[in-house]
Amino acid sequence: MDILNTVFAKDHLAHAWKIVKQKGSGGGIDNVSIAQFDSGHDLNLNQLYSETVSGNYIPEPYKRIYIEKKDNEFRPLSMLTIRDKILQLCVKFHYDEKIDKSFCDSSYAYRFSKSHNKSINRIRDYLQRKNKFVLPIDIDNYFDTINRDILYEKSKKYFPQPEILRLIEMWVRIGFISKNGKYIDMGKGIPQGGILSPLLSNIYLNDYDKEMKALNYINVRYADNIILIGGEKDKVEEALKFTINFLREKLMLRLNKDDFNVINSDEAPFTFCGIEFFNKLRKIDPKKIIKIKSDITRTIVNSSLAELSSKINKQIEGLNRYYLQFDTADQLGELESLLAKELKGRFSRLLYKKQIKNKTEAKEILNKINFISPENYTQKNIFINEILSFPEELNGEKELKNSINRGVYQKRRQYQKVWYESLDIMVSGAFSQIGKSGFNLTIKKEGKITSSISADKIKSIMVNNKGVTITYDAVKLCAEKNIRVNYFDGLGKPFAFLVPAANPLLSITDKQTQAFDGRKAKYVALSIIDAKIRNQASVIKYFSKNKIFSSEEEIVLNSELKCMEDILIKIKEIDLDLPLKDVREKLMGYEGSAAAAYWHLIKIFLPSHCNFDYREHRDAKNPVNIMLNYSYGILYSRIINSITVLGLNPSISFLHSEQKNKPTLAYDLIEPFRAPVADRTVIAILNKGIKITLKDGMLSDESRKILAKKVLERINCELKYRDKITSLNDLMYDKVKELIAYLKDETKAYKPYLLKW
């Protein structure tokens, strides 16, 4: 037991605890926090010493959480308890430096004298020596697929004492506790998040590094990212073949793809660990720039004032550490311009809403931020003043003007709401009768007139219950006034409509058909899905403004929004020279992935009593899904109305495949409006505590009225779009007109509606 006394001596435990405390990270599955451990740290450390040196210590399972990862995936992270962190640090301190000396010079991750930047410099050095052929590769799911038996056997060489090896094997073998409290043993892999995991990962690949060196193959490895380099293409291909075979046969690993093309670095760029090499320059990879920009915006928009400066400083520290020394001055300047722009917007809103008192208070917060470019206090002050160079709008005259504007706006909304309610007549009572009296349309229930409205005020009638009749005179008046009559089933799905005989139905069908001969159909389909996902993200951000998130919810929020942003990038990269069928399949696949992220987030914003777990389209049982389906039905009627009134064929679609007797074009054009209209309305209703009831698996009559009224209010309410006041109802119509203009070659692009949140 001498080795245990040496490794886990009390002063070593105290030193390790000091580091854990300074880092301030959360605890593990035992729910013991830093503060709780600190309150009795002497007793806790003595107990830990006794358990360890006696050989009785058994690690706790890991706590599993998920963090964002590229390619629309979550990376599982295993959280250690504070006790296990302390012990693993002690092992690391005792063995790390000695083991590091046995590693090859080509390995750059998680090492004392190595770093990300040194790996990039090493690659440049090889390129300058006329090794122009390169091939970046990486190991598929590396940490989670390490073979434990092979790792144990290799570890004996580096940890010769059985007592230490026993602890290491337990830390590797111990399972994790899932979100629902279940113990899970993966059977392979090492925990990402374990303090010793990086060291063990280098031990596992050290023999590969040594074999590559012995065979005179040039490579640089950063964890599971490898770049093969050579003066001749054949040499790099040989190194690739050896790598594939060695990883598969000796280490039970595989690369993340099967087809590889060696790159001539004189002719084409290549990327390694986020750095793009080309024309003797080392710049931030363009895809990485997009991610960084997204991260900056999300931090500024979502962070509280108390944490804003620390979060931004952490991002800037990372930018400086990883990218400052390379040829990135223009890119870092672009990022700082974005940072200034987003901060300017955030602080102008804070001042306008009086969430901060004045620019002096704003300057105090901004002074805590370590910006990239300002080199001294004077430069920083100038930079901050530029960020705050907007009208403060807090003097008495402007306050008075704002007060007047608010009063006029409120009164206008009051009267517009009454007007909106007369635009769309909802007939939801069973066996009601729609009739005519003079120039008014009337609705009777059990022989009594329940409402009478001038036909000049009505745009549509919505019938959604059995037994409802409409008289000949009422139909004639609707035709004269161009009033559409829409019929819905009990689930809110439209199944029929009446339109005037003079309606210009199918007048430009030939243009829709011709669109399939070129790229137009594919471009329209791509634009629709792009807008849908952007609007879903905007709805999430809209509801995020006033919600306080738990740490776990914030992780999920950031991960899922990042997932949606990554999908938008992939959508832009779809090759529109592919057949329409292939483009549709790719788009629908991406749309499905984005929807999974979106509905996962929607659950956070719904009251717990809703019991919403996932999206149900057909035969929905959950009230939230029933409300959504019913709301979409109302939207369908509006879209179909615009399509048919303007003369498009509702059965010829671009995104959705054609279906017999189905208005698939309406399925296309509704997509960008689903989240801003239906989803946003349903979430708002449920959070306001408005009672919604079901009857026989469908919304009750009263609930239909409530939901329809709220959806129609949302459709008809005023909004500012492209510098003009309009409504979503008019925008649906306008977007169909814009589609027609695009099909007729009157415009160069079709741009679906994007929500400004």
Side-chain angles (χ1 to χ4, degrees):
M1 298 298 178
D2 288 343
I3 186 62
L4 296 177
N5 274 300
T6 301
V7 174
F8 303 111
K10 289 187 177 182
D11 57 332
H12 294 171
L13 291 172
H15 177 62
W17 156 240
K18 182 179 179 181
I19 292 173
V20 172
K21 181 180 177 181
Q22 286 175 343
K23 189 173 181 181
S25 58
I29 199 62
D30 61 358
N31 294 319
V32 175
S33 66
I34 294 286
Q36 289 171 321
F37 193 94
D38 193 32
S39 64
H41 68 271
D42 287 338
L43 179 63
N44 291 328
L45 291 176
N46 284 333
Q47 183 178 353
L48 192 57
Y49 171 79
S50 298
E51 289 182 39
T52 309
V53 298
S54 65
N56 294 322
Y57 186 81
I58 299 176
E60 294 292 334
Y62 296 89
K63 179 180 179 180
R64 177 63 60 94
I65 64 171
Y66 295 87
I67 60 172
E68 62 185 47
K69 181 184 176 182
K70 64 179 182 178
D71 300 329
N72 314 316
E73 299 175 358
F74 287 130
R75 172 179 286 124
L77 194 63
S78 300
M79 300 292 290
L80 292 161
T81 64
I82 290 172
R83 285 157 55 90
D84 283 310
K85 286 180 183 179
I86 292 169
L87 296 182
Q88 287 202 18
L89 275 173
C90 288
V91 174
K92 176 180 170 63
F93 293 150
H94 186 82
Y95 290 93
D96 201 2
E97 188 172 357
K98 180 180 179 182
I99 293 175
D100 186 81
K101 292 177 181 178
S102 68
F103 291 154
C104 283
D105 193 44
S106 58
S107 171
Y108 280 82
Y110 320 126
R111 299 184 60 189
F112 291 110
S113 58
K114 303 286 187 176
S115 66
H116 167 269
N117 290 349
K118 287 187 176 181
S119 72
I120 301 302
N121 289 335
R122 184 67 178 273
I123 293 169
R124 182 189 61 173
D125 183 56
Y126 281 129
L127 294 175
Q128 289 175 339
R129 298 182 189 183
K130 299 183 179 181
N131 295 291
K132 65 179 181 179
F133 292 99
V134 299
L135 180 59
I137 56 178
D138 60 272
I139 301 171
D140 185 40
N141 206 18
Y142 175 51
F143 278 79
D144 291 335
T145 56
I146 287 175
N147 183 286
R148 291 176 177 176
D149 290 335
I150 296 174
L151 176 63
Y152 298 152
E153 195 61 33
K154 291 181 179 296
S155 296
K156 292 176 182 178
K157 175 182 176 182
Y158 301 93
F159 305 100
Q161 300 88 356
E163 299 89 344
I164 299 298
L165 191 61
R166 170 183 171 273
L167 276 172
I168 289 173
E169 291 191 11
M170 283 196 293
W171 276 319
V172 170
R173 188 186 296 276
I174 199 77
F176 67 87
I177 305 298
S178 67
K179 188 176 180 180
N180 60 10
K182 184 179 180 181
Y183 179 92
I184 297 175
D185 181 7
M186 297 297 289
K188 60 181 179 179
I190 59 177
Q192 297 188 60
I195 290 169
L196 289 175
S197 294
L199 178 62
L200 296 175
S201 74
N202 275 334
I203 287 173
Y204 198 75
L205 286 173
N206 195 29
D207 287 342
Y208 164 73
D209 296 333
K210 289 180 176 179
E211 288 292 331
M212 290 286 285
K213 183 177 181 180
L215 293 168
N216 291 319
Y217 293 135
I218 301 173
N219 79 298
V220 172
R221 181 175 68 80
Y222 193 87
D224 54 343
N225 296 289
I226 305 167
I227 185 165
L228 307 176
I229 307 172
E232 299 175 354
K233 184 178 180 181
D234 291 347
K235 190 73 171 179
V236 176
E237 290 175 342
E238 283 179 20
L240 172 65
K241 185 176 180 180
F242 170 79
T243 297
I244 292 172
N245 291 334
F246 189 93
L247 293 180
R248 183 182 64 242
E249 295 170 7
K250 303 292 185 181
L251 300 177
M252 307 288 283
L253 300 172
R254 62 185 300 274
L255 299 180
N256 73 345
K257 61 178 183 178
D258 299 321
D259 56 320
F260 300 94
N261 293 307
V262 176
I263 299 167
N264 183 336
S265 62
D266 289 343
E267 299 174 357
F270 69 91
T271 296
F272 184 75
C273 288
I275 295 294
E276 182 185 70
F277 292 77
F278 194 50
N279 288 334
K280 299 182 180 180
L281 297 176
R282 294 167 296 168
K283 304 183 77 68
I284 307 172
D285 179 70
K287 291 182 180 179
K288 190 72 174 177
I289 284 284
I290 293 173
K291 179 189 180 302
I292 294 170
K293 286 182 176 180
S294 174
D295 290 343
I296 289 172
T297 299
R298 189 162 58 240
T299 296
I300 294 172
V301 171
N302 294 335
S303 299
S304 68
L305 282 177
E307 63 186 5
L308 181 63
S309 59
S310 63
K311 284 194 171 184
I312 293 175
N313 286 343
K314 185 176 180 181
Q315 288 179 312
I316 291 175
E317 180 188 345
L319 291 175
N320 287 334
R321 183 169 63 250
Y322 286 106
Y323 307 119
L324 188 61
Q325 68 167 278
F326 304 126
D327 310 299
T328 56
D330 57 333
Q331 293 175 308
L332 293 176
E334 181 184 351
L335 292 173
E336 189 151 70
S337 295
L338 173 70
L339 177 67
K341 177 185 174 183
E342 294 292 349
L343 286 170
K344 189 171 190 174
R346 173 79 189 272
F347 279 93
S348 66
R349 292 191 296 271
L350 289 169
L351 279 165
Y352 178 76
K353 295 178 180 180
K354 297 185 178 180
Q355 293 174 338
I356 56 176
K357 296 176 183 178
N358 48 43
K359 288 186 179 180
T360 301
E361 184 178 345
K363 188 174 286 189
E364 289 176 0
I365 299 170
L366 290 171
N367 266 316
K368 297 176 182 177
I369 297 175
N370 302 319
F371 297 100
I372 300 171
S373 58
E375 297 177 357
N376 53 49
Y377 177 80
T378 302
Q379 289 182 350
K380 183 173 182 178
N381 203 38
I382 294 171
F383 192 75
I384 291 173
N385 286 337
E386 177 60 30
I387 292 173
L388 297 176
S389 61
F390 51 80
E392 200 157 338
E393 294 192 3
L394 292 177
N395 60 61
E397 183 179 342
K398 290 187 176 179
E399 262 306 295
L400 177 61
K401 184 178 179 181
N402 288 338
S403 176
I404 293 169
N405 289 339
R406 284 194 297 269
V408 172
Y409 175 74
Q410 288 170 0
K411 187 58 65 175
R412 187 178 73 208
R413 286 293 301 271
Q414 176 185 334
Y415 281 93
Q416 283 178 333
K417 188 175 180 181
V418 175
W419 178 60
Y420 293 152
E421 290 175 357
S422 68
L423 289 175
D424 301 278
I425 305 303
M426 171 67 70
V427 184
S428 57
F431 303 104
S432 296
Q433 184 183 57
I434 305 168
K436 172 183 175 290
S437 176
F439 292 102
N440 287 3
L441 285 170
T442 62
I443 300 173
K444 288 184 179 180
K445 179 72 174 175
E446 297 177 353
K448 296 180 180 180
I449 295 178
T450 58
S451 60
S452 178
I453 305 168
S454 171
D456 290 325
K457 295 182 177 181
I458 302 171
K459 280 192 174 183
S460 71
I461 297 173
M462 307 171 69
V463 180
N464 69 343
N465 215 329
K466 60 185 179 180
V468 176
T469 60
I470 182 169
T471 66
Y472 172 92
D473 291 339
V475 172
K476 189 170 183 294
L477 181 60
C478 287
E480 291 170 353
K481 298 296 183 180
N482 200 26
I483 298 169
R484 184 186 179 103
V485 183
N486 303 284
Y487 289 86
F488 298 82
D489 62 20
L491 298 174
K493 183 180 179 182
F495 62 86
F497 52 88
L498 301 178
V499 294
N503 196 282
L505 202 61
L506 313 182
S507 64
I508 61 162
T509 300
D510 59 327
K511 295 295 183 183
Q512 284 178 267
T513 305
Q514 291 170 16
F516 288 91
D517 294 334
R519 294 164 61 95
K520 282 190 174 181
K522 293 171 277 189
Y523 170 75
V524 171
L526 185 149
S527 300
I528 287 169
I529 289 299
D530 178 83
K532 176 181 182 177
I533 296 172
R534 290 183 187 278
N535 287 346
Q536 287 176 328
S538 292
V539 166
I540 295 300
K541 292 172 183 177
Y542 170 81
F543 283 108
S544 296
K545 290 189 297 185
N546 298 314
K547 180 174 175 60
I548 299 174
F549 297 97
S550 67
S551 57
E552 189 169 315
E553 286 175 338
E554 189 167 355
I555 289 171
V556 173
L557 176 70
N558 293 335
S559 296
E560 297 292 25
L561 283 175
K562 171 62 170 53
C563 168
M564 296 172 77
E565 289 161 2
D566 287 346
I567 290 171
L568 287 170
I569 295 170
K570 290 189 173 185
I571 286 173
K572 293 295 186 184
E573 295 172 348
I574 292 177
D575 183 2
L576 294 186
D577 289 329
L578 293 171
L580 177 60
K581 179 177 179 293
D582 294 343
V583 173
R584 281 174 167 173
E585 287 179 356
K586 285 179 176 291
L587 285 171
M588 289 309 218
Y590 289 140
E591 188 274 340
S593 298
Y598 173 66
W599 293 112
H600 190 199
L601 289 176
I602 288 295
K603 183 177 180 180
I604 295 175
F605 298 99
L606 292 171
S608 58
H609 66 77
C610 293
N611 297 318
F612 178 82
D613 291 320
Y614 53 87
R615 179 78 182 96
E616 298 171 303
H617 298 274
R618 296 181 180 179
D619 302 320
K621 301 293 188 294
N622 180 269
V624 177
N625 283 305
I626 293 172
M627 291 174 71
L628 289 168
N629 292 341
Y630 194 84
S631 302
Y632 295 153
I634 298 173
L635 268 180
Y636 278 127
S637 71
R638 288 310 174 90
I639 294 290
I640 293 171
N641 182 62
S642 298
I643 290 169
T644 53
V645 164
L646 291 167
L648 287 169
N649 188 330
S651 298
I652 301 177
S653 51
F654 303 97
L655 174 65
H656 294 84
S657 300
E658 296 72 19
Q659 303 174 46
K660 187 176 180 181
N661 299 323
K662 297 283 188 180
T664 48
L665 182 59
Y667 301 164
D668 286 1
L669 300 184
I670 193 180
E671 296 292 5
F673 292 97
R674 287 179 185 267
V677 178
D679 302 355
R680 183 166 155 176
T681 301
V682 169
I683 295 168
I685 287 173
L686 293 170
N687 279 298
K688 288 177 181 176
I690 298 174
K691 188 175 181 181
I692 297 294
T693 57
L694 302 182
K695 183 178 180 181
D696 299 327
M698 296 183 291
L699 293 171
S700 64
D701 287 351
E702 185 60 30
S703 294
R704 289 184 201 176
K705 289 180 182 178
I706 293 170
L707 181 55
K709 179 181 177 182
K710 293 295 184 183
V711 172
L712 292 172
E713 283 179 4
R714 175 73 184 143
I715 288 173
N716 288 307
C717 73
E718 281 188 347
L719 55 86
K720 191 172 183 180
Y721 187 75
R722 293 181 181 172
D723 296 324
K724 75 172 186 176
I725 302 299
T726 184
S727 69
L728 286 167
N729 183 72
D730 291 341
L731 274 173
M732 292 180 204
Y733 189 82
D734 290 343
K735 290 302 171 185
V736 176
K737 287 173 65 177
E738 290 175 19
L739 175 61
I740 292 171
Y742 177 64
L743 295 177
K744 287 183 173 182
D745 294 321
E746 295 172 357
T747 58
K748 294 182 179 180
Y750 171 64
K751 297 181 180 179
Y753 167 65
L754 290 177
L755 170 66
K756 300 292 184 183
W757 62 277

